[in-house]
Amino acid sequence: DGPCRRVARPGAAGPAFTALGLALPCWTLLGMLDRAIDLTIAHVSLRKQFGQTLSSFQGVQFQLTDAEVERGGVDMLAKYTLWSMTTSDGDTAINDALALRLAALEAAEVVFRVCHQLHGAVGFCDETTLSWLSRYSQPLRRLPFGLSQTRDILTTRLGRRGLTGLFS
């Protein structure tokens, strides 16, 4: 009831600003995911093992593909959410922004896990940009609420009717 009510409440700023407040940090997180993948591609392209670059191994390519699919999904959903905020009512815009937040949080878990794993131990050293990105993504991933609470709020708001979408 508490967080759901806060998100649903048409406060002083209105639902459009609530949706924007939920969506904009997702764009920042998306930029961090972009950078993390770029850093990881550069790392596995330079690092050699058994006489070959890490990027030549099929397992590494699969992991990077998984991370890119997650990142790409958030990218498309973020664009849709901005469009939705300009064309739909405030309630639908908030639902779309919550769905974007949920997707961004889930993607961040996958992307940072893959990137840290492919960097190895150096990915956790403060001397690397990846470590800084991962650390500075934490407030975006936890505030105003984390993954479980975002999922709960969205589920409570939607009930059984689901998201509106393009082809409803």
PDB file of all heavy atoms in Angstrom, residues 47-88:
ATOM      1  N   ARG A  47      43.007  -9.079 -24.280  1.00  0.00           N
ATOM      2  CA  ARG A  47      43.506 -10.114 -23.375  1.00  0.00           C
ATOM      3  C   ARG A  47      43.659 -11.443 -24.109  1.00  0.00           C
ATOM      4  O   ARG A  47      42.753 -11.871 -24.825  1.00  0.00           O
ATOM      5  CB  ARG A  47      42.536 -10.267 -22.209  1.00  0.00           C
ATOM      6  CG  ARG A  47      42.934 -11.252 -21.206  1.00  0.00           C
ATOM      7  CD  ARG A  47      43.674 -10.578 -20.098  1.00  0.00           C
ATOM      8  NE  ARG A  47      43.829 -11.559 -19.022  1.00  0.00           N
ATOM      9  CZ  ARG A  47      44.912 -11.644 -18.313  1.00  0.00           C
ATOM     10  NH1 ARG A  47      45.896 -10.812 -18.505  1.00  0.00           N
ATOM     11  NH2 ARG A  47      45.003 -12.537 -17.368  1.00  0.00           N
ATOM     12  N   LYS A  48      44.821 -12.106 -23.913  1.00  0.00           N
ATOM     13  CA  LYS A  48      45.080 -13.377 -24.585  1.00  0.00           C
ATOM     14  C   LYS A  48      45.158 -14.513 -23.577  1.00  0.00           C
ATOM     15  O   LYS A  48      45.634 -14.335 -22.455  1.00  0.00           O
ATOM     16  CB  LYS A  48      46.375 -13.309 -25.379  1.00  0.00           C
ATOM     17  CG  LYS A  48      46.282 -12.445 -26.603  1.00  0.00           C
ATOM     18  CD  LYS A  48      47.481 -12.606 -27.486  1.00  0.00           C
ATOM     19  CE  LYS A  48      47.249 -11.829 -28.767  1.00  0.00           C
ATOM     20  NZ  LYS A  48      48.279 -12.088 -29.750  1.00  0.00           N
ATOM     21  N   GLN A  49      44.666 -15.662 -24.025  1.00  0.00           N
ATOM     22  CA  GLN A  49      44.754 -16.883 -23.238  1.00  0.00           C
ATOM     23  C   GLN A  49      44.930 -18.033 -24.222  1.00  0.00           C
ATOM     24  O   GLN A  49      44.224 -18.087 -25.243  1.00  0.00           O
ATOM     25  CB  GLN A  49      43.497 -17.060 -22.399  1.00  0.00           C
ATOM     26  CG  GLN A  49      43.576 -18.183 -21.405  1.00  0.00           C
ATOM     27  CD  GLN A  49      42.338 -18.222 -20.516  1.00  0.00           C
ATOM     28  OE1 GLN A  49      41.249 -17.874 -20.939  1.00  0.00           O
ATOM     29  NE2 GLN A  49      42.521 -18.665 -19.299  1.00  0.00           N
ATOM     30  N   PHE A  50      45.863 -18.923 -23.954  1.00  0.00           N
ATOM     31  CA  PHE A  50      46.167 -20.051 -24.831  1.00  0.00           C
ATOM     32  C   PHE A  50      46.507 -19.576 -26.244  1.00  0.00           C
ATOM     33  O   PHE A  50      46.147 -20.217 -27.224  1.00  0.00           O
ATOM     34  CB  PHE A  50      45.006 -21.054 -24.881  1.00  0.00           C
ATOM     35  CG  PHE A  50      44.573 -21.552 -23.533  1.00  0.00           C
ATOM     36  CD1 PHE A  50      43.309 -21.270 -23.054  1.00  0.00           C
ATOM     37  CD2 PHE A  50      45.446 -22.289 -22.741  1.00  0.00           C
ATOM     38  CE1 PHE A  50      42.912 -21.724 -21.809  1.00  0.00           C
ATOM     39  CE2 PHE A  50      45.051 -22.740 -21.490  1.00  0.00           C
ATOM     40  CZ  PHE A  50      43.780 -22.467 -21.028  1.00  0.00           C
ATOM     41  N   GLY A  51      47.165 -18.422 -26.341  1.00  0.00           N
ATOM     42  CA  GLY A  51      47.596 -17.911 -27.634  1.00  0.00           C
ATOM     43  C   GLY A  51      46.516 -17.228 -28.458  1.00  0.00           C
ATOM     44  O   GLY A  51      46.758 -16.841 -29.596  1.00  0.00           O
ATOM     45  N   GLN A  52      45.310 -17.088 -27.911  1.00  0.00           N
ATOM     46  CA  GLN A  52      44.207 -16.442 -28.638  1.00  0.00           C
ATOM     47  C   GLN A  52      43.604 -15.351 -27.763  1.00  0.00           C
ATOM     48  O   GLN A  52      43.678 -15.411 -26.542  1.00  0.00           O
ATOM     49  CB  GLN A  52      43.104 -17.459 -28.966  1.00  0.00           C
ATOM     50  CG  GLN A  52      43.521 -18.594 -29.849  1.00  0.00           C
ATOM     51  CD  GLN A  52      42.373 -19.580 -30.047  1.00  0.00           C
ATOM     52  OE1 GLN A  52      41.412 -19.601 -29.284  1.00  0.00           O
ATOM     53  NE2 GLN A  52      42.471 -20.394 -31.087  1.00  0.00           N
ATOM     54  N   THR A  53      42.977 -14.380 -28.428  1.00  0.00           N
ATOM     55  CA  THR A  53      42.268 -13.366 -27.637  1.00  0.00           C
ATOM     56  C   THR A  53      41.035 -14.011 -27.005  1.00  0.00           C
ATOM     57  O   THR A  53      40.467 -14.958 -27.560  1.00  0.00           O
ATOM     58  CB  THR A  53      41.817 -12.174 -28.513  1.00  0.00           C
ATOM     59  OG1 THR A  53      40.955 -12.649 -29.529  1.00  0.00           O
ATOM     60  CG2 THR A  53      43.012 -11.441 -29.105  1.00  0.00           C
ATOM     61  N   LEU A  54      40.647 -13.504 -25.872  1.00  0.00           N
ATOM     62  CA  LEU A  54      39.454 -14.034 -25.199  1.00  0.00           C
ATOM     63  C   LEU A  54      38.216 -13.903 -26.089  1.00  0.00           C
ATOM     64  O   LEU A  54      37.313 -14.735 -26.043  1.00  0.00           O
ATOM     65  CB  LEU A  54      39.209 -13.308 -23.884  1.00  0.00           C
ATOM     66  CG  LEU A  54      40.162 -13.622 -22.735  1.00  0.00           C
ATOM     67  CD1 LEU A  54      39.823 -12.755 -21.532  1.00  0.00           C
ATOM     68  CD2 LEU A  54      40.112 -15.085 -22.366  1.00  0.00           C
ATOM     69  N   SER A  55      38.189 -12.867 -26.902  1.00  0.00           N
ATOM     70  CA  SER A  55      37.017 -12.639 -27.759  1.00  0.00           C
ATOM     71  C   SER A  55      36.835 -13.719 -28.818  1.00  0.00           C
ATOM     72  O   SER A  55      35.757 -13.838 -29.396  1.00  0.00           O
ATOM     73  CB  SER A  55      37.105 -11.264 -28.428  1.00  0.00           C
ATOM     74  OG  SER A  55      38.249 -11.204 -29.262  1.00  0.00           O
ATOM     75  N   SER A  56      37.846 -14.513 -29.061  1.00  0.00           N
ATOM     76  CA  SER A  56      37.718 -15.565 -30.070  1.00  0.00           C
ATOM     77  C   SER A  56      37.048 -16.822 -29.521  1.00  0.00           C
ATOM     78  O   SER A  56      36.662 -17.700 -30.290  1.00  0.00           O
ATOM     79  CB  SER A  56      39.093 -15.925 -30.641  1.00  0.00           C
ATOM     80  OG  SER A  56      39.898 -16.523 -29.644  1.00  0.00           O
ATOM     81  N   PHE A  57      36.890 -16.903 -28.216  1.00  0.00           N
ATOM     82  CA  PHE A  57      36.258 -18.076 -27.614  1.00  0.00           C
ATOM     83  C   PHE A  57      34.738 -17.964 -27.699  1.00  0.00           C
ATOM     84  O   PHE A  57      34.154 -16.923 -27.376  1.00  0.00           O
ATOM     85  CB  PHE A  57      36.687 -18.253 -26.160  1.00  0.00           C
ATOM     86  CG  PHE A  57      38.142 -18.599 -26.011  1.00  0.00           C
ATOM     87  CD1 PHE A  57      39.035 -17.671 -25.525  1.00  0.00           C
ATOM     88  CD2 PHE A  57      38.612 -19.860 -26.380  1.00  0.00           C
ATOM     89  CE1 PHE A  57      40.371 -17.979 -25.390  1.00  0.00           C
ATOM     90  CE2 PHE A  57      39.951 -20.177 -26.250  1.00  0.00           C
ATOM     91  CZ  PHE A  57      40.841 -19.235 -25.757  1.00  0.00           C
ATOM     92  N   GLN A  58      34.099 -19.039 -28.093  1.00  0.00           N
ATOM     93  CA  GLN A  58      32.653 -19.046 -28.306  1.00  0.00           C
ATOM     94  C   GLN A  58      31.890 -18.754 -27.005  1.00  0.00           C
ATOM     95  O   GLN A  58      30.890 -18.041 -27.015  1.00  0.00           O
ATOM     96  CB  GLN A  58      32.223 -20.385 -28.885  1.00  0.00           C
ATOM     97  CG  GLN A  58      30.820 -20.405 -29.418  1.00  0.00           C
ATOM     98  CD  GLN A  58      30.481 -21.723 -30.092  1.00  0.00           C
ATOM     99  OE1 GLN A  58      31.001 -22.777 -29.720  1.00  0.00           O
ATOM    100  NE2 GLN A  58      29.615 -21.660 -31.087  1.00  0.00           N
ATOM    101  N   GLY A  59      32.356 -19.275 -25.893  1.00  0.00           N
ATOM    102  CA  GLY A  59      31.692 -19.035 -24.603  1.00  0.00           C
ATOM    103  C   GLY A  59      31.678 -17.561 -24.239  1.00  0.00           C
ATOM    104  O   GLY A  59      30.677 -17.038 -23.724  1.00  0.00           O
ATOM    105  N   VAL A  60      32.764 -16.851 -24.539  1.00  0.00           N
ATOM    106  CA  VAL A  60      32.841 -15.409 -24.283  1.00  0.00           C
ATOM    107  C   VAL A  60      31.874 -14.669 -25.200  1.00  0.00           C
ATOM    108  O   VAL A  60      31.163 -13.757 -24.778  1.00  0.00           O
ATOM    109  CB  VAL A  60      34.295 -14.905 -24.464  1.00  0.00           C
ATOM    110  CG1 VAL A  60      34.362 -13.390 -24.440  1.00  0.00           C
ATOM    111  CG2 VAL A  60      35.200 -15.508 -23.400  1.00  0.00           C
ATOM    112  N   GLN A  61      31.818 -15.095 -26.448  1.00  0.00           N
ATOM    113  CA  GLN A  61      30.903 -14.471 -27.403  1.00  0.00           C
ATOM    114  C   GLN A  61      29.444 -14.658 -26.980  1.00  0.00           C
ATOM    115  O   GLN A  61      28.644 -13.732 -27.087  1.00  0.00           O
ATOM    116  CB  GLN A  61      31.127 -15.043 -28.801  1.00  0.00           C
ATOM    117  CG  GLN A  61      32.481 -14.702 -29.377  1.00  0.00           C
ATOM    118  CD  GLN A  61      32.812 -15.481 -30.637  1.00  0.00           C
ATOM    119  OE1 GLN A  61      31.997 -16.260 -31.142  1.00  0.00           O
ATOM    120  NE2 GLN A  61      34.014 -15.285 -31.147  1.00  0.00           N
ATOM    121  N   PHE A  62      29.115 -15.844 -26.479  1.00  0.00           N
ATOM    122  CA  PHE A  62      27.748 -16.094 -26.000  1.00  0.00           C
ATOM    123  C   PHE A  62      27.404 -15.193 -24.819  1.00  0.00           C
ATOM    124  O   PHE A  62      26.299 -14.641 -24.750  1.00  0.00           O
ATOM    125  CB  PHE A  62      27.572 -17.558 -25.585  1.00  0.00           C
ATOM    126  CG  PHE A  62      27.433 -18.517 -26.735  1.00  0.00           C
ATOM    127  CD1 PHE A  62      27.836 -19.837 -26.572  1.00  0.00           C
ATOM    128  CD2 PHE A  62      26.906 -18.136 -27.954  1.00  0.00           C
ATOM    129  CE1 PHE A  62      27.713 -20.747 -27.619  1.00  0.00           C
ATOM    130  CE2 PHE A  62      26.778 -19.037 -28.999  1.00  0.00           C
ATOM    131  CZ  PHE A  62      27.183 -20.348 -28.828  1.00  0.00           C
ATOM    132  N   GLN A  63      28.332 -15.046 -23.888  1.00  0.00           N
ATOM    133  CA  GLN A  63      28.070 -14.207 -22.720  1.00  0.00           C
ATOM    134  C   GLN A  63      27.873 -12.753 -23.128  1.00  0.00           C
ATOM    135  O   GLN A  63      26.969 -12.072 -22.626  1.00  0.00           O
ATOM    136  CB  GLN A  63      29.218 -14.312 -21.714  1.00  0.00           C
ATOM    137  CG  GLN A  63      29.231 -15.617 -20.963  1.00  0.00           C
ATOM    138  CD  GLN A  63      30.367 -15.654 -19.968  1.00  0.00           C
ATOM    139  OE1 GLN A  63      31.529 -15.590 -20.335  1.00  0.00           O
ATOM    140  NE2 GLN A  63      30.013 -15.740 -18.697  1.00  0.00           N
ATOM    141  N   LEU A  64      28.711 -12.262 -24.025  1.00  0.00           N
ATOM    142  CA  LEU A  64      28.564 -10.878 -24.489  1.00  0.00           C
ATOM    143  C   LEU A  64      27.255 -10.689 -25.257  1.00  0.00           C
ATOM    144  O   LEU A  64      26.624  -9.635 -25.157  1.00  0.00           O
ATOM    145  CB  LEU A  64      29.749 -10.472 -25.364  1.00  0.00           C
ATOM    146  CG  LEU A  64      31.024 -10.131 -24.616  1.00  0.00           C
ATOM    147  CD1 LEU A  64      32.185  -9.948 -25.586  1.00  0.00           C
ATOM    148  CD2 LEU A  64      30.832  -8.884 -23.768  1.00  0.00           C
ATOM    149  N   THR A  65      26.848 -11.707 -25.992  1.00  0.00           N
ATOM    150  CA  THR A  65      25.577 -11.630 -26.708  1.00  0.00           C
ATOM    151  C   THR A  65      24.414 -11.540 -25.725  1.00  0.00           C
ATOM    152  O   THR A  65      23.495 -10.741 -25.911  1.00  0.00           O
ATOM    153  CB  THR A  65      25.407 -12.851 -27.634  1.00  0.00           C
ATOM    154  OG1 THR A  65      26.486 -12.857 -28.572  1.00  0.00           O
ATOM    155  CG2 THR A  65      24.087 -12.802 -28.374  1.00  0.00           C
ATOM    156  N   ASP A  66      24.460 -12.347 -24.672  1.00  0.00           N
ATOM    157  CA  ASP A  66      23.413 -12.279 -23.642  1.00  0.00           C
ATOM    158  C   ASP A  66      23.334 -10.883 -23.032  1.00  0.00           C
ATOM    159  O   ASP A  66      22.246 -10.334 -22.853  1.00  0.00           O
ATOM    160  CB  ASP A  66      23.669 -13.298 -22.530  1.00  0.00           C
ATOM    161  CG  ASP A  66      23.393 -14.724 -22.955  1.00  0.00           C
ATOM    162  OD1 ASP A  66      22.708 -14.915 -23.979  1.00  0.00           O
ATOM    163  OD2 ASP A  66      23.867 -15.646 -22.255  1.00  0.00           O
ATOM    164  N   ALA A  67      24.493 -10.308 -22.725  1.00  0.00           N
ATOM    165  CA  ALA A  67      24.524  -8.966 -22.131  1.00  0.00           C
ATOM    166  C   ALA A  67      23.981  -7.932 -23.112  1.00  0.00           C
ATOM    167  O   ALA A  67      23.206  -7.048 -22.726  1.00  0.00           O
ATOM    168  CB  ALA A  67      25.955  -8.609 -21.709  1.00  0.00           C
ATOM    169  N   GLU A  68      24.346  -8.048 -24.372  1.00  0.00           N
ATOM    170  CA  GLU A  68      23.890  -7.078 -25.377  1.00  0.00           C
ATOM    171  C   GLU A  68      22.394  -7.199 -25.637  1.00  0.00           C
ATOM    172  O   GLU A  68      21.717  -6.191 -25.853  1.00  0.00           O
ATOM    173  CB  GLU A  68      24.676  -7.242 -26.679  1.00  0.00           C
ATOM    174  CG  GLU A  68      24.220  -6.338 -27.803  1.00  0.00           C
ATOM    175  CD  GLU A  68      24.178  -4.853 -27.462  1.00  0.00           C
ATOM    176  OE1 GLU A  68      24.954  -4.389 -26.605  1.00  0.00           O
ATOM    177  OE2 GLU A  68      23.348  -4.135 -28.068  1.00  0.00           O
ATOM    178  N   VAL A  69      21.864  -8.407 -25.605  1.00  0.00           N
ATOM    179  CA  VAL A  69      20.418  -8.588 -25.786  1.00  0.00           C
ATOM    180  C   VAL A  69      19.665  -7.894 -24.650  1.00  0.00           C
ATOM    181  O   VAL A  69      18.660  -7.206 -24.882  1.00  0.00           O
ATOM    182  CB  VAL A  69      20.054 -10.088 -25.878  1.00  0.00           C
ATOM    183  CG1 VAL A  69      18.564 -10.313 -25.719  1.00  0.00           C
ATOM    184  CG2 VAL A  69      20.542 -10.655 -27.203  1.00  0.00           C
ATOM    185  N   GLU A  70      20.136  -8.055 -23.431  1.00  0.00           N
ATOM    186  CA  GLU A  70      19.511  -7.379 -22.281  1.00  0.00           C
ATOM    187  C   GLU A  70      19.585  -5.863 -22.438  1.00  0.00           C
ATOM    188  O   GLU A  70      18.603  -5.155 -22.252  1.00  0.00           O
ATOM    189  CB  GLU A  70      20.183  -7.807 -20.974  1.00  0.00           C
ATOM    190  CG  GLU A  70      19.934  -9.229 -20.579  1.00  0.00           C
ATOM    191  CD  GLU A  70      18.520  -9.483 -20.120  1.00  0.00           C
ATOM    192  OE1 GLU A  70      17.878  -8.557 -19.593  1.00  0.00           O
ATOM    193  OE2 GLU A  70      18.057 -10.624 -20.283  1.00  0.00           O
ATOM    194  N   ARG A  71      20.769  -5.364 -22.790  1.00  0.00           N
ATOM    195  CA  ARG A  71      20.967  -3.926 -22.960  1.00  0.00           C
ATOM    196  C   ARG A  71      20.103  -3.392 -24.094  1.00  0.00           C
ATOM    197  O   ARG A  71      19.463  -2.349 -23.977  1.00  0.00           O
ATOM    198  CB  ARG A  71      22.442  -3.613 -23.226  1.00  0.00           C
ATOM    199  CG  ARG A  71      22.758  -2.120 -23.190  1.00  0.00           C
ATOM    200  CD  ARG A  71      23.785  -1.718 -24.227  1.00  0.00           C
ATOM    201  NE  ARG A  71      23.411  -2.007 -25.593  1.00  0.00           N
ATOM    202  CZ  ARG A  71      22.598  -1.240 -26.345  1.00  0.00           C
ATOM    203  NH1 ARG A  71      22.056  -0.160 -25.858  1.00  0.00           N
ATOM    204  NH2 ARG A  71      22.325  -1.575 -27.588  1.00  0.00           N
ATOM    205  N   GLY A  72      20.045  -4.101 -25.195  1.00  0.00           N
ATOM    206  CA  GLY A  72      19.242  -3.672 -26.342  1.00  0.00           C
ATOM    207  C   GLY A  72      17.757  -3.633 -26.031  1.00  0.00           C
ATOM    208  O   GLY A  72      17.032  -2.759 -26.504  1.00  0.00           O
ATOM    209  N   GLY A  73      17.294  -4.588 -25.234  1.00  0.00           N
ATOM    210  CA  GLY A  73      15.889  -4.586 -24.833  1.00  0.00           C
ATOM    211  C   GLY A  73      15.533  -3.366 -24.008  1.00  0.00           C
ATOM    212  O   GLY A  73      14.481  -2.746 -24.203  1.00  0.00           O
ATOM    213  N   VAL A  74      16.426  -2.995 -23.100  1.00  0.00           N
ATOM    214  CA  VAL A  74      16.192  -1.792 -22.284  1.00  0.00           C
ATOM    215  C   VAL A  74      16.224  -0.552 -23.167  1.00  0.00           C
ATOM    216  O   VAL A  74      15.426   0.370 -22.985  1.00  0.00           O
ATOM    217  CB  VAL A  74      17.220  -1.693 -21.129  1.00  0.00           C
ATOM    218  CG1 VAL A  74      17.097  -0.365 -20.399  1.00  0.00           C
ATOM    219  CG2 VAL A  74      17.043  -2.846 -20.163  1.00  0.00           C
ATOM    220  N   ASP A  75      17.125  -0.531 -24.127  1.00  0.00           N
ATOM    221  CA  ASP A  75      17.231   0.609 -25.040  1.00  0.00           C
ATOM    222  C   ASP A  75      15.911   0.832 -25.783  1.00  0.00           C
ATOM    223  O   ASP A  75      15.384   1.956 -25.819  1.00  0.00           O
ATOM    224  CB  ASP A  75      18.367   0.357 -26.029  1.00  0.00           C
ATOM    225  CG  ASP A  75      18.616   1.534 -26.963  1.00  0.00           C
ATOM    226  OD1 ASP A  75      18.388   2.686 -26.566  1.00  0.00           O
ATOM    227  OD2 ASP A  75      19.057   1.284 -28.105  1.00  0.00           O
ATOM    228  N   MET A  76      15.353  -0.232 -26.345  1.00  0.00           N
ATOM    229  CA  MET A  76      14.090  -0.099 -27.076  1.00  0.00           C
ATOM    230  C   MET A  76      12.930   0.255 -26.148  1.00  0.00           C
ATOM    231  O   MET A  76      12.080   1.078 -26.486  1.00  0.00           O
ATOM    232  CB  MET A  76      13.774  -1.394 -27.841  1.00  0.00           C
ATOM    233  CG  MET A  76      14.748  -1.707 -28.950  1.00  0.00           C
ATOM    234  SD  MET A  76      14.981  -0.353 -30.121  1.00  0.00           S
ATOM    235  CE  MET A  76      13.372  -0.218 -30.823  1.00  0.00           C
ATOM    236  N   LEU A  77      12.892  -0.356 -24.968  1.00  0.00           N
ATOM    237  CA  LEU A  77      11.822  -0.073 -24.018  1.00  0.00           C
ATOM    238  C   LEU A  77      11.917   1.366 -23.502  1.00  0.00           C
ATOM    239  O   LEU A  77      10.897   2.021 -23.275  1.00  0.00           O
ATOM    240  CB  LEU A  77      11.866  -1.068 -22.858  1.00  0.00           C
ATOM    241  CG  LEU A  77      10.679  -1.047 -21.901  1.00  0.00           C
ATOM    242  CD1 LEU A  77       9.360  -1.233 -22.637  1.00  0.00           C
ATOM    243  CD2 LEU A  77      10.861  -2.127 -20.841  1.00  0.00           C
ATOM    244  N   ALA A  78      13.137   1.871 -23.343  1.00  0.00           N
ATOM    245  CA  ALA A  78      13.315   3.259 -22.895  1.00  0.00           C
ATOM    246  C   ALA A  78      12.765   4.236 -23.936  1.00  0.00           C
ATOM    247  O   ALA A  78      12.097   5.216 -23.596  1.00  0.00           O
ATOM    248  CB  ALA A  78      14.792   3.529 -22.616  1.00  0.00           C
ATOM    249  N   LYS A  79      13.007   3.954 -25.201  1.00  0.00           N
ATOM    250  CA  LYS A  79      12.477   4.808 -26.270  1.00  0.00           C
ATOM    251  C   LYS A  79      10.948   4.738 -26.306  1.00  0.00           C
ATOM    252  O   LYS A  79      10.272   5.758 -26.459  1.00  0.00           O
ATOM    253  CB  LYS A  79      13.070   4.388 -27.618  1.00  0.00           C
ATOM    254  CG  LYS A  79      14.551   4.687 -27.715  1.00  0.00           C
ATOM    255  CD  LYS A  79      15.157   4.089 -28.966  1.00  0.00           C
ATOM    256  CE  LYS A  79      16.655   4.313 -28.979  1.00  0.00           C
ATOM    257  NZ  LYS A  79      17.308   3.606 -30.095  1.00  0.00           N
ATOM    258  N   TYR A  80      10.423   3.531 -26.166  1.00  0.00           N
ATOM    259  CA  TYR A  80       8.968   3.372 -26.148  1.00  0.00           C
ATOM    260  C   TYR A  80       8.361   4.136 -24.970  1.00  0.00           C
ATOM    261  O   TYR A  80       7.316   4.774 -25.109  1.00  0.00           O
ATOM    262  CB  TYR A  80       8.585   1.885 -26.073  1.00  0.00           C
ATOM    263  CG  TYR A  80       7.115   1.695 -25.801  1.00  0.00           C
ATOM    264  CD1 TYR A  80       6.185   1.817 -26.825  1.00  0.00           C
ATOM    265  CD2 TYR A  80       6.652   1.453 -24.511  1.00  0.00           C
ATOM    266  CE1 TYR A  80       4.830   1.671 -26.582  1.00  0.00           C
ATOM    267  CE2 TYR A  80       5.297   1.312 -24.253  1.00  0.00           C
ATOM    268  CZ  TYR A  80       4.392   1.424 -25.285  1.00  0.00           C
ATOM    269  OH  TYR A  80       3.052   1.296 -25.031  1.00  0.00           O
ATOM    270  N   THR A  81       9.004   4.060 -23.818  1.00  0.00           N
ATOM    271  CA  THR A  81       8.471   4.720 -22.622  1.00  0.00           C
ATOM    272  C   THR A  81       8.415   6.233 -22.807  1.00  0.00           C
ATOM    273  O   THR A  81       7.427   6.870 -22.428  1.00  0.00           O
ATOM    274  CB  THR A  81       9.308   4.349 -21.380  1.00  0.00           C
ATOM    275  OG1 THR A  81       9.278   2.924 -21.233  1.00  0.00           O
ATOM    276  CG2 THR A  81       8.762   4.993 -20.130  1.00  0.00           C
ATOM    277  N   LEU A  82       9.442   6.819 -23.386  1.00  0.00           N
ATOM    278  CA  LEU A  82       9.398   8.265 -23.648  1.00  0.00           C
ATOM    279  C   LEU A  82       8.273   8.604 -24.611  1.00  0.00           C
ATOM    280  O   LEU A  82       7.564   9.599 -24.430  1.00  0.00           O
ATOM    281  CB  LEU A  82      10.736   8.760 -24.192  1.00  0.00           C
ATOM    282  CG  LEU A  82      11.863   8.869 -23.187  1.00  0.00           C
ATOM    283  CD1 LEU A  82      13.105   9.436 -23.862  1.00  0.00           C
ATOM    284  CD2 LEU A  82      11.474   9.714 -21.984  1.00  0.00           C
ATOM    285  N   TRP A  83       8.100   7.787 -25.636  1.00  0.00           N
ATOM    286  CA  TRP A  83       6.988   8.006 -26.565  1.00  0.00           C
ATOM    287  C   TRP A  83       5.659   7.886 -25.830  1.00  0.00           C
ATOM    288  O   TRP A  83       4.764   8.709 -26.012  1.00  0.00           O
ATOM    289  CB  TRP A  83       7.071   6.997 -27.713  1.00  0.00           C
ATOM    290  CG  TRP A  83       5.871   7.022 -28.598  1.00  0.00           C
ATOM    291  CD1 TRP A  83       5.624   7.886 -29.627  1.00  0.00           C
ATOM    292  CD2 TRP A  83       4.734   6.165 -28.506  1.00  0.00           C
ATOM    293  NE1 TRP A  83       4.405   7.604 -30.193  1.00  0.00           N
ATOM    294  CE2 TRP A  83       3.832   6.555 -29.528  1.00  0.00           C
ATOM    295  CE3 TRP A  83       4.381   5.101 -27.681  1.00  0.00           C
ATOM    296  CZ2 TRP A  83       2.619   5.908 -29.730  1.00  0.00           C
ATOM    297  CZ3 TRP A  83       3.171   4.465 -27.882  1.00  0.00           C
ATOM    298  CH2 TRP A  83       2.300   4.875 -28.897  1.00  0.00           C
ATOM    299  N   SER A  84       5.541   6.873 -24.997  1.00  0.00           N
ATOM    300  CA  SER A  84       4.306   6.640 -24.249  1.00  0.00           C
ATOM    301  C   SER A  84       3.972   7.819 -23.335  1.00  0.00           C
ATOM    302  O   SER A  84       2.804   8.178 -23.190  1.00  0.00           O
ATOM    303  CB  SER A  84       4.433   5.357 -23.424  1.00  0.00           C
ATOM    304  OG  SER A  84       3.356   5.216 -22.538  1.00  0.00           O
ATOM    305  N   MET A  85       4.981   8.417 -22.746  1.00  0.00           N
ATOM    306  CA  MET A  85       4.736   9.547 -21.837  1.00  0.00           C
ATOM    307  C   MET A  85       4.184  10.759 -22.575  1.00  0.00           C
ATOM    308  O   MET A  85       3.503  11.580 -21.978  1.00  0.00           O
ATOM    309  CB  MET A  85       6.017   9.920 -21.090  1.00  0.00           C
ATOM    310  CG  MET A  85       6.354   8.936 -19.992  1.00  0.00           C
ATOM    311  SD  MET A  85       7.670   9.494 -18.922  1.00  0.00           S
ATOM    312  CE  MET A  85       9.088   9.203 -19.928  1.00  0.00           C
ATOM    313  N   THR A  86       4.451  10.853 -23.862  1.00  0.00           N
ATOM    314  CA  THR A  86       3.950  12.001 -24.619  1.00  0.00           C
ATOM    315  C   THR A  86       2.604  11.729 -25.277  1.00  0.00           C
ATOM    316  O   THR A  86       1.955  12.669 -25.737  1.00  0.00           O
ATOM    317  CB  THR A  86       4.955  12.419 -25.717  1.00  0.00           C
ATOM    318  OG1 THR A  86       5.116  11.336 -26.628  1.00  0.00           O
ATOM    319  CG2 THR A  86       6.286  12.809 -25.112  1.00  0.00           C
ATOM    320  N   THR A  87       2.190  10.458 -25.336  1.00  0.00           N
ATOM    321  CA  THR A  87       0.970  10.131 -26.070  1.00  0.00           C
ATOM    322  C   THR A  87      -0.130   9.491 -25.235  1.00  0.00           C
ATOM    323  O   THR A  87      -1.237   9.317 -25.739  1.00  0.00           O
ATOM    324  CB  THR A  87       1.285   9.181 -27.246  1.00  0.00           C
ATOM    325  OG1 THR A  87       1.865   7.985 -26.724  1.00  0.00           O
ATOM    326  CG2 THR A  87       2.221   9.839 -28.243  1.00  0.00           C
ATOM    327  N   SER A  88       0.140   9.114 -24.011  1.00  0.00           N
ATOM    328  CA  SER A  88      -0.874   8.411 -23.227  1.00  0.00           C
ATOM    329  C   SER A  88      -1.183   9.156 -21.932  1.00  0.00           C
ATOM    330  O   SER A  88      -0.525  10.139 -21.601  1.00  0.00           O
ATOM    331  CB  SER A  88      -0.416   6.986 -22.918  1.00  0.00           C
ATOM    332  OG  SER A  88       0.788   7.012 -22.191  1.00  0.00           O
TER     333      SER A  88
END
